[in-house]
Amino acid sequence: MAQQTVSGFRYANLADDLELKIKEGVYRSGEKLPSLRRLHDQTGLSITTVYQAYIELEKRGVVEPRQKSGYYVRPLLDRILPVPEAPKLKPVAKKVTMGTLAYSIVEDMSNPDFLQLGGSVVMPELLPFKQLARCIRSAPIESMKHSLMRYENPYGNPELKRQIAKRMVGQARRDAMEEITITTGCLEAVNLCLQAAGSAGDTVIVESPTYPWFLQLIEDHKMFALEIPTDPRTGIDLEQLEQAIGANAVAACLLVPNFHNPLGFEMSMEKKKTLVKMMAAAKAPIIEDNIHGELYFGNARPATLKSLDRNGWVMHCASFSKTLSPGLRVGWCLPGRYTEPVRRLKLNGTVASPTLNQRAVADFLKSGAYDRHLRRLRTALKNQISNMALAIARHFPKGTRITAPKGGLTLWVELSPNINGLEVYREARKRKISIFPGIICSTTGRYRNFIRISCGYPWSEEVEKGIRTLAEIIGQMV
Ligand SMILES: Cc1ncc(COP(=O)(O)O)c(C=O)c1O
């Protein structure tokens, strides 16, 4: 039984001590805590008191027991710092002029000297390189000959489409599977859908903030972007969306409802249903980017808008870039009533996506290793985001806010209003750290005091040092 001390129960004091050490980063998210016996030896407290301390920490949601293994630090994704408020802005269609900033960010992404906290990329050590390489090497020579010497079916390798269709059971109506069209990454899928839905001068609705490459595509097609305020916890404001649809001729609504980049929210089922109905009533398509759909931190894969679509107004896009290989560039779309124009654009644009890459992904999916790999990847990303958020809370100045992602791999960080995220980006770049300045996630000039930090790295001293350096840069600007 716990004995009382001056400041309270001994078990509670020990629990407080361990919780503080977790917040200070001594014990990291996902890390195993000392055994009962070890803590008993270290502290001189009875095994029962140590056990009660762990039960207390479990109640507080700080640790989790694993059968026959002990207690582990539970990733903390909420309640670390306040979450940024939804932006207040008047939705107006705007011409997009993104400039060249995004290109230097892309260049840094392939520079091995940089600490990659900018591009939302998963580091190779978390991806199944060996199994994937085996799939490529072990292909019979006849199949290799086919891969290298022939064009693939313009709409995709049939085996790959079959494997994707299997994974999409429950994510699209059964008859929608016919729509699967393989693309070169998710961005090509979005680009094809955008071009099929609209043309120069048309208005495209996006979330605010949004994924910057959506804005670049809108700019390239000489379309207008109409940003709708988007809450970092719940997603796009449906009332304002409805008003915008009523007031503008909208060609498409381009959204990331599951684990938004940069905000990380998951739109509720109720909101998804309302959204799909609203857009069908307006006879305007939704381009749904579900690239992070498999990277959920909860218990189940979230519903797609496509699964709620009755009339073909949802154009669903995704890829394997965040879960398997960004380099193979294998993505897909289910373009609904726009399937024919999307396929025409695909055929005329590139004939087909590379045969070898599609076959490698198909073989990997067929091997059954994907689900096992995804389970490990989700756990790793959840721990990494938690460790990153805790490190930001430790080192960044008071007043910093961060999102509480439900999946994906990015944190959206709000700094004090006088800090210029672009300046932080430039200073960080000089020190070989890449981040995203928030300003490129909008056409409105908002988010000047925001940065996006990507959590694709396994946690290490180098990442902690990178966060400390960012904090110093920001600290000098306060
Ligand atoms: C929301 C979103 N869509 C599309 C992409 C690009 O995907 P891909 O590399 O498969 O073209 C990304 C990459 O970061 C993304 O975050």
Side-chain angles (χ1 to χ4, degrees):
M1 227 170 64
Q3 296 151 278
Q4 210 159 4
T5 64
V6 181
S7 56
F9 289 102
R10 286 186 172 186
Y11 78 87
N13 288 344
L14 177 59
D16 289 348
D17 191 22
L18 287 170
E19 188 170 359
L20 187 67
K21 289 204 163 48
I22 290 169
K23 290 214 169 107
E24 285 173 342
V26 177
Y27 299 117
R28 292 180 176 145
S29 304
E31 194 177 331
K32 188 170 188 291
L33 287 153
S35 66
L36 299 182
R37 181 149 301 280
R38 177 110 183 270
L39 269 187
H40 156 74
D41 288 346
Q42 272 179 329
T43 61
L45 294 168
S46 70
I47 296 260
T48 315
T49 305
V50 173
Y51 179 60
Q52 275 182 306
Y54 275 140
I55 299 285
E56 172 63 20
L57 285 172
E58 201 184 333
K59 272 195 218 145
R60 294 184 196 173
V62 178
V63 305
E64 57 196 6
R66 290 197 201 151
Q67 250 189 358
K68 294 193 185 138
S69 179
Y71 284 91
Y72 285 77
V73 181
R74 199 169 170 184
L76 198 61
L77 299 164
D78 217 337
R79 298 174 284 120
I80 297 176
L81 285 176
V83 172
E85 305 266 326
K88 291 186 181 62
L89 60 96
K90 202 165 170 283
V92 180
K94 281 200 163 164
K95 188 172 171 229
V96 185
T97 38
M98 291 293 286
T100 54
L101 182 57
Y103 300 121
S104 62
I105 294 174
V106 174
E107 265 169 41
D108 295 345
M109 267 163 63
S110 54
N111 186 336
D113 297 338
F114 268 70
L115 181 66
Q116 300 291 346
L117 307 180
S120 70
V121 284
V122 176
M123 286 299 122
E125 44 273 56
L126 293 176
L127 296 173
F129 162 68
K130 280 192 185 147
Q131 291 115 303
L132 208 48
R134 211 174 301 131
C135 287
I136 296 171
R137 274 205 318 263
S138 62
I141 193 75
E142 263 315 298
S143 144
M144 195 58 106
K145 185 171 157 196
H146 177 109
S147 293
L148 297 176
M149 304 303 164
R150 290 196 208 155
Y151 287 115
E152 186 50 275
N153 178 311
Y155 316 127
N157 172 288
E159 182 54 34
L160 175 63
K161 285 169 63 171
R162 208 168 70 81
Q163 293 297 329
I164 292 173
K166 276 191 191 171
R167 298 202 64 80
M168 285 203 67
V169 170
Q171 296 214 319
R173 281 159 50 109
R174 243 172 295 148
D175 55 2
M177 297 308 174
E178 283 299 302
E179 298 165 23
I180 295 177
T181 305
I182 301 299
T183 58
T184 302
C186 185
L187 200 58
E188 187 191 36
V190 170
N191 193 18
L192 295 173
C193 290
L194 202 55
Q195 290 179 78
S199 49
D202 283 345
T203 294
V204 177
I205 285 183
V206 290
E207 289 134 332
S208 186
T210 185
Y211 173 59
W213 270 264
F214 291 169
L215 296 175
Q216 309 249 66
L217 293 180
I218 292 172
E219 177 178 6
D220 286 351
H221 298 310
K222 300 189 170 40
M223 295 171 175
F224 292 87
L226 201 166
E227 290 181 39
I228 305 288
T230 299
D231 187 289
R233 282 188 187 276
T234 57
I236 196 162
D237 184 321
L238 288 185
E239 247 174 59
Q240 299 205 45
L241 174 65
E242 194 165 27
Q243 281 167 17
I245 294 167
N248 297 269
V250 170
C253 196
L254 171 49
L255 306 176
V256 188
N258 292 324
F259 319 129
H260 181 264
N261 180 356
L263 298 176
F265 63 80
E266 175 188 338
M267 195 186 271
S268 70
M269 188 62 162
E270 201 189 328
K271 246 180 129 166
K272 283 175 181 163
K273 284 183 181 164
T274 312
L275 172 67
V276 170
K277 262 198 199 148
M278 189 191 286
M279 295 303 288
K283 298 200 180 319
I286 303 172
I287 303 174
E288 171 187 41
D289 181 327
N290 196 47
I291 190 166
H292 299 125
E294 296 277 12
L295 300 179
Y296 50 90
F297 300 155
N299 296 324
R301 190 167 65 164
T304 58
L305 300 181
K306 190 73 186 171
S307 67
L308 306 169
D309 181 27
R310 298 284 166 267
N311 309 302
W313 287 109
V314 177
M315 307 164 89
H316 177 93
C317 305
S319 79
F320 293 102
S321 301
K322 311 288 166 177
T323 54
L324 200 54
S325 160
L328 285 176
R329 313 294 306 126
V330 176
W332 69 95
C333 58
L334 280 76
R337 55 176 66 216
Y338 293 86
T339 300
E340 285 320 308
V342 162
R343 288 186 168 180
R344 186 188 154 93
L345 285 160
K346 174 69 191 164
L347 181 61
N348 292 347
T350 58
V351 181
S353 290
T355 318
L356 187 62
N357 303 16
Q358 294 187 57
R359 211 214 54 224
V361 174
D363 286 353
F364 182 84
L365 296 178
K366 235 171 27 175
S367 77
Y370 192 46
D371 280 313
R372 259 194 322 277
H373 156 66
L374 282 177
R375 276 195 291 279
R376 277 197 298 269
L377 181 60
R378 284 182 206 117
T379 305
L381 291 178
K382 198 161 142 182
N383 285 325
Q384 282 166 210
I385 289 210
S386 168
N387 282 321
M388 188 72 89
L390 287 165
I392 289 171
R394 275 197 296 281
H395 300 299
F396 277 33
K398 264 208 168 83
T400 302
R401 289 170 172 255
I402 47 171
T403 44
K406 296 274 188 274
L409 61 153
T410 54
L411 279 171
W412 183 238
V413 184
E414 180 176 4
L415 307 166
S416 3
N418 62 321
I419 305 284
N420 184 343
L422 196 53
E423 283 300 309
V424 178
Y425 158 78
R426 289 194 182 118
E427 283 303 313
R429 195 161 188 251
K430 285 184 200 157
R431 293 164 171 82
K432 298 216 170 354
I433 300 172
S434 113
I435 54 159
F436 249 51
I439 198 162
I440 66 168
C441 296
S442 175
T443 55
T444 61
R446 272 171 190 272
Y447 314 116
R448 276 183 81 250
N449 58 320
F450 285 78
I451 55 174
R452 191 194 77 179
I453 293 193
S454 167
C455 308
Y457 265 106
W459 194 255
S460 66
E461 285 312 316
E462 194 197 356
V463 181
E464 175 102 28
K465 198 169 143 227
I467 291 295
R468 269 204 307 271
T469 306
L470 284 178
E472 277 162 30
I473 293 171
I474 295 162
Q476 281 159 13
M477 293 177 181
V478 172

